[in-house]
Amino acid sequence: MTRIGEFSPEYVHAEWMDADVGLKVGRRFDGTNRKVTETEQLTWTRPCTVTIVRPGSTFGYLMGDRHDGSPSGAWTYEFCALSPGRCRLQLIFRHHRTPTTTERS
């Protein structure tokens, strides 16, 4: 989880929120992203919760909404060994509808 930034042009950092040790379902972290445009650099951090841990095959987490932390997206990484030293990575993203401010009132 902490190495995703090495392979992503947007995801730059993760920091565990709990003192718990080890990657397991329910563990929480703050994920930070950065997007550089011609005119500005945008940085944002969202609360995330690990939802899937299958060592060697699958890792997934829910990303929280910027307003209230409710789920706004689900990320799943599936790894498939092809040969020694090679694997295929499939990234699956599901966007959860986020209510607008007026819908929350």
Side-chain angles (χ1 to χ4, degrees):
M1 195 280 313
T2 56
R3 294 191 62 201
I4 295 171
E6 294 176 39
F7 310 102
S8 171
E10 185 174 279
Y11 184 95
V12 294
H13 178 73
E15 185 172 326
W16 292 113
M17 295 170 67
D18 345 329
D20 198 4
V21 177
L23 183 60
K24 57 186 166 185
V25 172
R27 191 147 187 227
R28 300 174 309 132
F29 64 94
D30 280 331
T32 301
N33 293 321
R34 178 176 47 233
K35 176 75 174 173
V36 178
T37 70
E38 291 182 18
T39 58
E40 63 187 339
Q41 176 176 290
L42 307 169
T43 303
W44 62 98
T45 300
R46 299 289 182 264
C48 301
T49 304
V50 176
T51 55
I52 304 168
V53 176
R54 290 187 207 116
S57 70
T58 312
F59 168 72
Y61 62 91
L62 283 175
M63 179 181 63
D65 176 73
R66 66 181 174 174
H67 299 288
D68 63 7
S70 63
S72 65
W75 296 82
T76 304
Y77 297 83
E78 294 181 348
F79 303 89
C80 177
L82 299 176
S83 63
R86 292 185 59 219
C87 75
R88 177 178 50 234
L89 168 64
Q90 180 175 4
L91 170 60
I92 302 163
F93 172 73
R94 288 187 314 268
H95 189 268
H96 295 241
R97 185 179 170 281
T98 304
T100 63
T101 305
T102 55
E103 291 174 319
R104 292 171 192 235
S105 311

